[in-house]
Amino acid sequence: MNYIQQAYKGQREIWMFILTTILVAGIFLGNFVVYLTSEPGELDAAMDLFKNWPSSVFLLVNLLPFVFLLGLLFLLVKYVHQRSILSLTTSRPKVDYKRILFSFLMITIYTVVTFLIMYSIDSSEIVFQFNAVKFAILFIISIILFPFQIGLEEYLFRGYLMQHVGVLVKNKWFPLILTSVLFGVAHAANPEVGAIGFWQMMIFYVGTGLLLGIMTLMDEGLELALGFHLGNNLIASLLVTADWTALQTDAIFKDTSEPVAGTVSEILIPVLVIYPLMLLILSKRYGWKNWNDKLLGKVEEPPKEDYKIIE
């Protein structure tokens, strides 16, 4: 059974899908509604209210809801859909932690190396602000809570929604595109969207969603997407911060530059060049084949003897 077919291992009534989606995805839907109904000045004023908070406290408050929501998703999958968390994670007999580590290191090394190159070329607008105590607090919060934050996003978008929408529409391309777009929409209220521009940031978010979705479908599991997302968010929190980003932390460096057109190139190059190269690396390492079927193929119910539904 492939990854999307794992949904056949549990109960799949439409009311279960609607209930779980509304309860778990409510925070993302709320963010988008706020973005649509608020004036830009109102969003800026709301962010200004939190600028007097210690940055680590603000990060803690923002990340704690993801602990509850990820736990809620797991409970609904286990007790409402009556299927295992393993089936939501991977089509393999057990979770492959080596895959998580590899994709984590891949994005981490890339991000750190490219930052150091840019810093060596021009550091005029990058401030070294390392404070051992503040950074230690940030580090502890980050390594404890970011796994829940990225876990919710991956298990919700590339996991639950990818599988259940795929089973509903009987193909793989539609859930891949839909979850990528929803992933972009879910981040619409982030401060960098207002600073850089809606469509520019949607290219980045939707492009990243496509990357993670392709990883999931080609590799038949969430492991690579989990590692990549965790590495990306951890480094974004710990390495460099800026006043116009969602992650305003006590990072090692602070970018004091204004979000201008140059940032757009930093969005397009990763999406159009770096992401395909990373997929090429992963395809060589894990022997991916049959791209057309795995990304565009049909989803068919397997013979009942291949899976067990708990009545």
Side-chain angles (χ1 to χ4, degrees):
M1 293 175 65
N2 63 40
Y3 180 67
I4 289 182
Q5 287 176 322
Q6 298 298 307
Y8 286 107
K9 291 182 176 180
Q11 301 292 344
R12 305 180 310 280
E13 281 79 356
I14 191 66
W15 70 264
M16 298 177 179
F17 173 69
I18 295 173
L19 174 68
T20 301
T21 301
I22 290 175
L23 289 178
V24 178
I27 187 171
F28 301 107
L29 296 172
N31 280 343
F32 188 56
V33 170
V34 168
Y35 176 81
L36 289 178
T37 57
S38 300
E39 296 293 332
E42 294 176 341
L43 294 176
D44 293 338
M47 287 302 299
D48 288 339
L49 291 176
F50 299 103
K51 285 188 175 180
N52 292 326
W53 288 26
S55 59
S56 290
V57 173
F58 181 59
L59 181 66
L60 180 67
V61 171
N62 274 273
L63 293 181
L64 277 176
F66 291 94
V67 178
F68 166 76
L69 290 171
L70 181 60
L72 178 61
L73 175 60
F74 284 173
L75 288 173
L76 290 168
V77 167
K78 185 172 180 62
Y79 294 106
V80 175
H81 288 282
Q82 298 183 30
R83 50 183 288 223
S84 69
I85 305 306
L86 178 64
S87 70
L88 190 66
T89 307
T90 184
S91 61
R92 283 172 275 276
K94 60 181 181 179
V95 177
D96 189 341
Y97 291 100
K98 290 183 179 179
R99 276 174 153 83
I100 297 176
L101 179 61
F102 182 82
S103 60
F104 175 88
L105 292 175
M106 180 178 68
I107 184 60
T108 298
I109 292 171
Y110 164 76
T111 304
V112 172
V113 169
T114 53
F115 171 78
L116 291 176
I117 291 173
M118 295 299 295
Y119 184 74
S120 64
I121 294 173
D122 182 11
S123 61
S124 61
E125 295 181 309
I126 304 295
V127 176
F128 181 74
Q129 62 166 22
F130 179 73
N131 179 296
V133 174
K134 291 182 177 180
F135 184 81
I137 296 172
L138 169 65
F139 183 80
I140 293 171
I141 292 173
S142 296
I143 62 172
I144 292 175
L145 293 182
F146 269 115
F148 291 96
Q149 184 257 327
I150 68 95
L152 175 66
E153 293 187 3
E154 290 310 311
Y155 275 102
L156 176 60
F157 292 103
R158 259 68 61 180
Y160 183 81
L161 292 176
M162 180 89 80
Q163 288 181 340
H164 281 270
V165 172
V167 166
L168 285 172
V169 301
K170 305 297 183 184
N171 65 55
K172 300 175 182 178
W173 64 266
F174 182 78
L176 173 60
I177 294 174
L178 177 65
T179 55
S180 300
V181 172
L182 291 176
F183 183 69
V185 168
H187 293 81
N190 284 8
E192 54 263 35
V193 174
I196 296 174
F198 178 81
W199 294 111
Q200 292 92 327
M201 288 308 301
M202 285 304 104
I203 291 173
F204 176 75
Y205 287 130
V206 174
T208 302
L210 282 170
L211 170 74
L212 297 170
I214 291 170
M215 285 182 185
T216 301
L217 291 178
M218 290 302 303
D219 202 53
E220 302 290 2
L222 276 181
E223 291 99 331
L224 294 177
L226 286 167
F228 184 97
H229 201 160
L230 179 59
N232 180 81
N233 284 25
L234 272 180
I235 295 303
S237 172
L238 299 174
L239 183 61
V240 59
T241 186
D243 288 337
W244 44 269
T245 65
L247 294 176
Q248 299 178 30
T249 66
D250 294 309
I252 299 173
F253 297 93
K254 182 173 183 177
D255 183 356
T256 61
S257 64
E258 292 295 324
V260 292
T263 309
V264 176
S265 65
E266 296 173 6
I267 293 171
L268 294 177
I269 290 176
V271 171
L272 300 179
V273 179
I274 303 303
Y275 286 179
L277 287 176
M278 288 182 172
L279 288 175
L280 180 61
I281 292 171
L282 294 173
S283 70
K284 296 298 183 182
R285 179 175 178 84
Y286 297 110
W288 292 349
K289 296 179 181 178
N290 303 321
W291 287 70
N292 186 67
D293 178 64
K294 287 197 172 185
L295 299 181
L296 306 174
K298 296 180 179 180
V299 175
E300 299 177 348
E301 184 172 0
K304 289 192 181 297
E305 60 268 20
D306 288 349
Y307 64 95
K308 180 181 178 181
I309 297 178
I310 302 174
E311 296 294 345

